[in-house]
């Protein structure tokens, strides 16, 4: 499964995997793909350095990358996290309290800190992550919310690091090309996390045409080798997969209840909601997302206010595994995620499916398999 881009990066398969879990990223790199570690949960530089040290030790000298979240438009600038939190209306805080009380969600134990806070949406946090990451031999820097600032692109290029940016439309992709981005990830509506409104089958060829000859990765709703073959047939030079890794044995969800919900979910059990971050993000539909999408409620706040507002609530829901509220960002491919497998088993299944699809097309075209 080689393309010009995979040869440039020295990887066996043009499979790029975004994940918040170092063990998953490293396993994908060792399996011949390209692991990309999500940095958004690292609010302390030392924690990111610790996990990048671990990645160095467990990738056998093979390439890997980092994904940050730097909003294209700053909701707030030049203020501290505490000052941002002060902007959150009391109405919204009361709504969170009432929703948690309705479902009997316990408070955290005294002295127990809430889980990771979604402050990585703030540009200054992402910049502190890059100060750490550029001390390591990362080969790719990806930004989940568009083109990074010009100085960040220049800083990456000065270190020989390729820069990728996600795009939900051909217009966005052209902006990325103009900004000097090296790789455009065409992320369709089906994807987990922040997505646009155009489906992958339509989006991928539009983006390929819009930014040629820049390489494009197809993303959104891809979880089989046959779908990878389709993405490459549409002109992509690889695929960008995220959701499929959530039910791997290396994933660190720390919640059997959440894993069970993912394994049981169908492709229609997700929703694009602003409930988690303030921007539309595809995730499991739960009574939590329903509450925030209810017109009778106050509605979500803009990024990064919403993420700060719900951080402790999400930690409590996860800590006590409150099933009706328990969810996670995930794409429509969740309908195929019906068993726990290792990362290597997933990659082996993807490559086998790809070979079958190519053989099928060869037969249709009257060509024998090479």
């Amino acid at each position: 499964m080689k393309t010009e881009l995979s040869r440039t990066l020295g990887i066996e398969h043009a499979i790029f995997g975004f994940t918040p879990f170092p063990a998953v990223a490293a396993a994908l790199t060792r399996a011949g793909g390209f692991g990309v570690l999500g940095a958004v949960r690292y609010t302390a530089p030392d924690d990111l350095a610790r996990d990048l040290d671990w990645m160095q030790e467990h990738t056998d000298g093979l390439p890997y990358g980092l994904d940050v979240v730097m909003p294209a438009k700053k909701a707030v600038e030049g203020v501290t996290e505490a000052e941002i939190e002060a902007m959150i209306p009391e109405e919204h805080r009361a709504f969170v309290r009432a929703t948690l009380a309705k479902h009997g969600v316990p408070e955290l134990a005294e002295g127990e800190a809430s889980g990771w806070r979604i402050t990585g949406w703030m540009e200054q946090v992402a910049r502190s992550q890059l100060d750490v990451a550029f001390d390591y031999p990362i080969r790719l820097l990806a930004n989940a919310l568009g083109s990074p600032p010009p100085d960040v692109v220049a800083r990456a290029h000065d270190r020989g690091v390729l820069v990728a940016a996600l795009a939900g439309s051909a217009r966005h992709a052209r902006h990325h090309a103009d900004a000097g981005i090296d790789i455009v990830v065409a992320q369709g509506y089906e994807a987990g996390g922040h997505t646009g409104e155009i489906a992958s089958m339509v989006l991928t060829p539009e983006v390929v045409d819009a930014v040629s000859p820049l390489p494009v990765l197809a993303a959104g709703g891809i979880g089989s080798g046959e779908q990878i073959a389709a993405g490459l047939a549409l002109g992509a030079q690889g695929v960008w997969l995220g959701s499929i890794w959530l039910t791997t044995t290396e994933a660190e969800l720390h919640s059997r209840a959440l894993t069970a919900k993912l394994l049981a979910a169908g492709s229609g059990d997700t929703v694009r909601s602003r409930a988690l971050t303030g921007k539309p993000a595809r995730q499991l539909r739960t009574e939590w997302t329903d509450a925030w999408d209810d017109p009778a409620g106050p509605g979500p706040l803009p990024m990064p206010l919403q993420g700060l507002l719900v951080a402790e609530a999400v930690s409590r829901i996860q800590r006590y595994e409150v099933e009706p509220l328990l969810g996670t960002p995930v794409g429509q491919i969740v309908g195929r995620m019906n068993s726990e497998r290792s990362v290597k088993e997933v990659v082996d299944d993807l490559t086998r499916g790809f070979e079958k699809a190519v053989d099928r097309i060869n037969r249709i075209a009257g060509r024998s398999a090479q």
Side-chain angles (χ1 to χ4, degrees), residues 106-115 312 315-316 319-320:
E107 298 278 353
L108 294 174
E110 185 175 353
E112 182 179 357
S114 62
E312 181 177 334
S315 293
R316 289 165 59 185
R319 169 69 175 81
Y320 297 107

Side-chain angles (χ1 to χ4, degrees), residues 63-145:
Y64 63 91
L66 191 77
D67 179 280
V68 297
V69 177
M70 302 185 80
K73 295 181 180 179
K74 299 179 183 179
V76 289
E77 184 176 10
V79 294
T80 66
E81 181 179 327
E83 290 171 329
I84 295 172
E85 288 217 43
M87 302 176 188
I88 297 173
E90 177 56 32
E91 176 190 15
H92 286 75
R93 296 187 186 277
F95 182 76
V96 169
R97 291 193 295 269
T99 304
L100 296 177
K102 177 182 176 181
H103 292 274
V105 182
E107 298 278 353
L108 294 174
E110 185 175 353
E112 182 179 357
S114 62
W116 60 276
R117 298 175 60 76
I118 307 174
T119 55
W121 315 122
M122 300 164 60
E123 182 177 315
Q124 61 265 36
V125 175
R127 286 184 177 276
S128 70
Q129 294 164 350
L130 294 179
D131 289 340
V132 172
F134 283 138
D135 286 336
Y136 293 81
I138 61 171
R139 293 293 307 282
L140 176 71
L141 171 66
N143 187 30
L145 292 179

Side-chain angles (χ1 to χ4, degrees), residues 138-212:
I138 61 171
R139 293 293 307 282
L140 176 71
L141 171 66
N143 187 30
L145 292 179
S147 304
D151 68 294
V152 172
V153 176
R155 190 177 175 191
H157 287 167
D158 287 345
R159 290 164 172 75
V161 177
L162 297 179
V163 181
L166 276 65
S169 71
R171 178 174 61 85
H172 293 155
R174 282 190 288 268
H175 287 323
H176 297 343
D178 292 341
I181 298 302
D182 304 293
I183 302 167
V184 176
V185 181
Q187 179 169 272
Y189 172 83
E190 308 95 324
H194 296 112
T195 68
E197 299 182 351
I198 304 173
S200 299
M201 184 64 73
V202 174
L203 179 65
T204 301
E206 285 188 352
V207 171
V208 168
D209 289 344
V211 301
S212 179

